Amino acid sequence: MAKPKVAFYWCASCGGCEEAVVDLAEDILTVTDAVDIVLWPVALDFKKKDVEAMQDNEIAVSFINGAIRTSEQEEMVNLLRKKSGLVVAFGSCAHIGGIPGLANFSNREEIFDYVYTKTPSTMNPAKTTPQTNTVVDGYELEIPEFYNTVKTLDQTIDVDYYLPGCAPPLDLIMNAVMAILKGELPEKGAVLAPDKSLCDTCPRNDSKPEKLMMSEIKRPHTVEMDPEKCFLAEGVICLGPATRSGCGERCINANMPCRGCFGPVKGVSDFGAKSLSAIASIMGIEGEEKMTDEDIQKLVDQIADPAGLFYMYSLPSSLLRRKVMK
Amino acid sequence: MFEPKIVAFFCKWCTSAGADLAGTSRMTYKPNIIGIRVMCSSRVDPEHILNAFKNGADGVLIGGCHPGDCHYQSGNYKTLKRITLLRKMINDLGIDKNRLRLEWISAAEGKRFTQVIDGFTDEIQKLGKLKIEQL
Ligand code: SF4
Ligand code: SF4
Ligand code: FES
């Protein structure tokens, strides 16, 4: 019997998701024994035309990482969608927008202006910026269009499953691959990770006091953090209460608070709004009835950049999707 | 003249009763609000507010009981903290923080209810239409 065909593709991403696949180490042999990899730009020399030559749905599953930022990425994922039975959004950027999604605090014009004229190492008196179409010596050049707004994969094509994380951890990748090979998949649209919150599985959960309160907000680099204690109990914002579990508590074990790369727990449509709500509720609980509006403003102002903090990984998948530009 | 759309969440026990008082006393106020009654101001999730803005609200008003009067003891304290933080966050997301307002209005304050509505409507009128790109 012919082995099922699998494709890996990357869009607006850092390469960490590719690394995660490589990190499967000898496990990858189990995978390559069972499947034929038909596209993997980082490692194998297949081209777009090879995919174009395939039948519709000929690829059993495409794992696509990265957010969608250019017309080329949009074209490639549409092609892969057509040729694949299943599409898995692989990693935070494809799932919820990820770090590249922070570009939605800005737009194309601002980004081009900064990158091509304002950076200290740039000399560009003519203020040349990339153009989709340019004529040079009578030849027309076309490069992919750089979109104004970064999108998630499912805002671009239909997605069957999501593998969350920056990058997805090895056990979840292997579980997903095995479930696909055995045909034991959950309902369409599922996130292939536990439905619990990170706090539920966090080793520091036991040290969480009965009544959590933060009378002062401390930024991680300003405190020496106790490696056993819940961050919130120390006044350091941790987004574990709103974040889906399954990462293996990677940041927590490195003594850093969670920033939500796994996205929200099931049923939440806006990760930032939910985490804001969770954090605001425990701020200054002790004596809250005596606090004046000014006291509360002062407490809140200790969070220097709430939008950047609460939407660090998820701005494109939020309700607003981007900053409202003037 | 620009007629703003304002979504207003009122808690059942105080502000909503204040609105009823204004109504039964035949007081007049500007017609720009779409009122939604909730059990407590703290029931209003930041998600609801962002959803309102996304779907065409030019302003969002939350009305709750005065400090100490919340029917559920401390709901309004939570609301105050959430809204204060959310105002800061929406401002960074390009939505003027003054488009989101929290007011304490009791069941006895029918007059104040009308003043708040008129004042907030004027303010949103000055801020103009909130233009959110539908992506
Ligand atoms: S808030 Fe963070 S440190 Fe505390 S239990 Fe939750 S995930 Fe663990
Ligand atoms: S602790 Fe949070 S930010 Fe870190 S890997 Fe886990 S889900 Fe992602
Ligand atoms: S019941 Fe009115 S604010 Fe809680």
Side-chain angles (χ1 to χ4, degrees), chain B residues 9-18 38-42 62-80 102-109 112:
Chain B
F9 296 96
F10 301 137
C11 85
K12 171 185 154 99
W13 302 98
C14 291
T15 309
S16 191
V38 290
M39 291 307 280
C40 174
S41 65
S42 64
I62 322 284
C65 312
H66 283 274
D69 288 348
C70 173
H71 194 73
Y72 308 95
Q73 315 286 335
S74 61
N76 52 0
Y77 300 131
K78 308 280 176 294
T79 309
L80 176 57
L102 172 64
E103 291 281 354
W104 309 133
I105 302 170
S106 80
E109 293 174 319
R112 206 175 110 68

Side-chain angles (χ1 to χ4, degrees), chain A residues 197-209 212 228-233 236-243 249 252 256-258 279 282:
Chain A
S197 80
L198 187 67
C199 289
D200 265 343
T201 53
C202 176
R204 301 190 190 195
N205 205 5
D206 293 341
S207 73
K208 225 189 211 163
L212 256 181
E228 313 278 323
K229 238 163 99 190
C230 168
F231 291 104
L232 294 175
V236 173
I237 292 180
C238 178
L239 303 183
T243 304
E249 294 76 36
I252 313 293
M256 283 301 282
C258 174
I279 297 300
I282 56 168

Side-chain angles (χ1 to χ4, degrees), chain A residues 105 268-270 273-274 276-277 280-281 283 288-289 293 296-297 300-301 303 306-307 311 319 321-324, chain B residues 45-47 50-51 53-54 74 77-78 80-82 84-86 88-89 92-95 130-133 135:
Chain A
F105 278 112
V268 170
S269 58
D270 192 300
K274 254 306 175 261
L276 177 147
S277 193
S281 316
M283 281 167 62
E288 62 183 358
E289 61 290 341
D293 289 4
I296 288 177
Q297 190 65 51
V300 158
D301 283 342
I303 303 180
Y311 289 117
L319 285 163
R321 293 198 183 181
R322 59 153 24 267
K323 180 176 171 181
V324 180
Chain B
D45 195 288
E47 270 187 356
L50 294 176
N51 239 324
F53 283 126
K54 184 193 166 96
S74 61
Y77 300 131
K78 308 280 176 294
L80 176 57
K81 287 183 284 182
R82 279 188 206 132
T84 311
L85 184 51
L86 185 61
K88 179 165 171 167
M89 186 166 91
D92 293 347
L93 285 165
I95 299 177
L130 174 61
K131 293 192 197 85
I132 291 188
E133 199 185 339
L135 292 159

Side-chain angles (χ1 to χ4, degrees), chain A residues 198 243-244 247 249-252 257-262 313:
Chain A
L198 187 67
T243 304
R244 187 184 284 268
C247 67
E249 294 76 36
R250 292 184 291 200
C251 299
I252 313 293
C258 174
R259 286 298 176 255
C261 81
F262 257 56
Y313 284 94

Side-chain angles (χ1 to χ4, degrees), chain A residues 6 44 67 77 123 197 201 242 251 307 314:
Chain A
V6 169
L44 302 171
V77 300
M123 282 239 307
S197 80
T201 53
C251 299
S314 65

Side-chain angles (χ1 to χ4, degrees), chain A:
Chain A
M1 207 180 84
K3 296 189 211 170
K5 295 182 175 144
V6 169
F8 294 99
Y9 197 68
W10 51 6
C11 296
S13 59
C14 67
C17 283
E18 311 294 332
E19 190 59 43
V21 178
V22 173
D23 280 348
L24 290 173
E26 46 273 22
D27 280 348
I28 196 148
L29 299 175
T30 322
V31 178
T32 48
D33 272 352
V35 304
D36 264 336
I37 299 177
V38 295
L39 178 75
W40 192 11
V42 78
L44 302 171
D45 193 23
F46 295 107
K47 299 283 191 259
K48 184 184 174 201
K49 63 173 173 9
D50 301 315
V51 181
E52 280 168 336
M54 290 183 200
Q55 308 281 317
D56 286 0
N57 292 337
E58 189 176 327
I59 302 171
V61 48
S62 284
F63 292 96
I64 302 178
N65 70 64
I68 308 298
R69 142 68 84 210
T70 68
S71 56
E72 180 203 25
Q73 290 156 354
E74 186 176 36
E75 189 179 324
M76 279 303 289
V77 300
N78 272 298
L79 175 65
L80 285 167
R81 175 68 272 184
K82 198 157 165 265
K83 304 293 180 182
S84 314
L86 292 175
V87 166
V88 177
F90 190 100
S92 304
C93 306
H95 175 209
I96 50 177
I99 297 298
L102 289 170
N104 286 359
F105 278 112
S106 182
N107 61 9
R108 174 175 44 210
E109 198 188 322
E110 278 185 10
I111 292 169
F112 277 13
D113 185 44
Y114 184 74
V115 172
Y116 293 103
T117 60
K118 296 221 175 81
T119 44
S121 57
T122 303
M123 282 239 307
N124 181 8
K127 296 199 189 304
T128 310
T129 57
Q131 303 296 316
T132 310
N133 295 291
T134 325
V135 179
V136 183
D137 297 338
Y139 293 97
E140 194 175 330
L141 294 177
E142 190 189 341
I143 59 168
E145 185 183 345
F146 185 98
Y147 291 143
N148 215 27
T149 300
V150 174
K151 286 186 180 174
T152 64
L153 189 61
D154 70 1
Q155 289 164 358
T156 313
I157 57 168
D158 190 40
V159 168
D160 296 287
Y161 297 104
Y162 303 85
L163 252 174
C166 179
L170 307 185
D171 57 332
L172 291 190
I173 302 176
M174 275 314 274
N175 286 349
V177 171
M178 289 307 161
I180 291 167
L181 289 176
K182 291 193 205 132
E184 290 170 357
L185 279 161
E187 53 170 344
K188 186 181 161 164
V191 177
L192 304 174
D195 279 339
K196 294 178 178 153
S197 80
L198 187 67
C199 289
D200 265 343
T201 53
C202 176
R204 301 190 190 195
N205 205 5
D206 293 341
S207 73
K208 225 189 211 163
E210 189 94 342
K211 197 170 180 196
L212 256 181
M213 59 156 266
M214 291 199 291
S215 46
E216 196 190 335
I217 310 289
K218 300 180 194 132
R219 299 181 75 180
H221 65 278
T222 62
V223 260
E224 207 168 301
M225 289 177 289
D226 182 331
E228 313 278 323
K229 238 163 99 190
C230 168
F231 291 104
L232 294 175
E234 292 194 84
V236 173
I237 292 180
C238 178
L239 303 183
T243 304
R244 187 184 284 268
S245 168
C247 67
E249 294 76 36
R250 292 184 291 200
C251 299
I252 313 293
N253 292 333
N255 209 13
M256 283 301 282
C258 174
R259 286 298 176 255
C261 81
F262 257 56
V265 289
K266 203 176 174 179
V268 170
S269 58
D270 192 300
F271 179 84
K274 254 306 175 261
S275 31
L276 177 147
S277 193
I279 297 300
S281 316
I282 56 168
M283 281 167 62
I285 282 200
E286 215 60 30
E288 62 183 358
E289 61 290 341
K290 283 185 225 80
M291 287 175 89
T292 63
D293 289 4
E294 288 71 48
D295 293 340
I296 288 177
Q297 190 65 51
K298 261 195 213 132
L299 189 59
V300 158
D301 283 342
Q302 291 177 19
I303 303 180
D305 172 19
L309 171 67
F310 296 123
Y311 289 117
M312 188 175 286
Y313 284 94
S314 65
L315 186 58
S317 62
S318 70
L319 285 163
L320 296 174
R321 293 198 183 181
R322 59 153 24 267
K323 180 176 171 181
V324 180
M325 304 301 287
K326 288 271 149 5

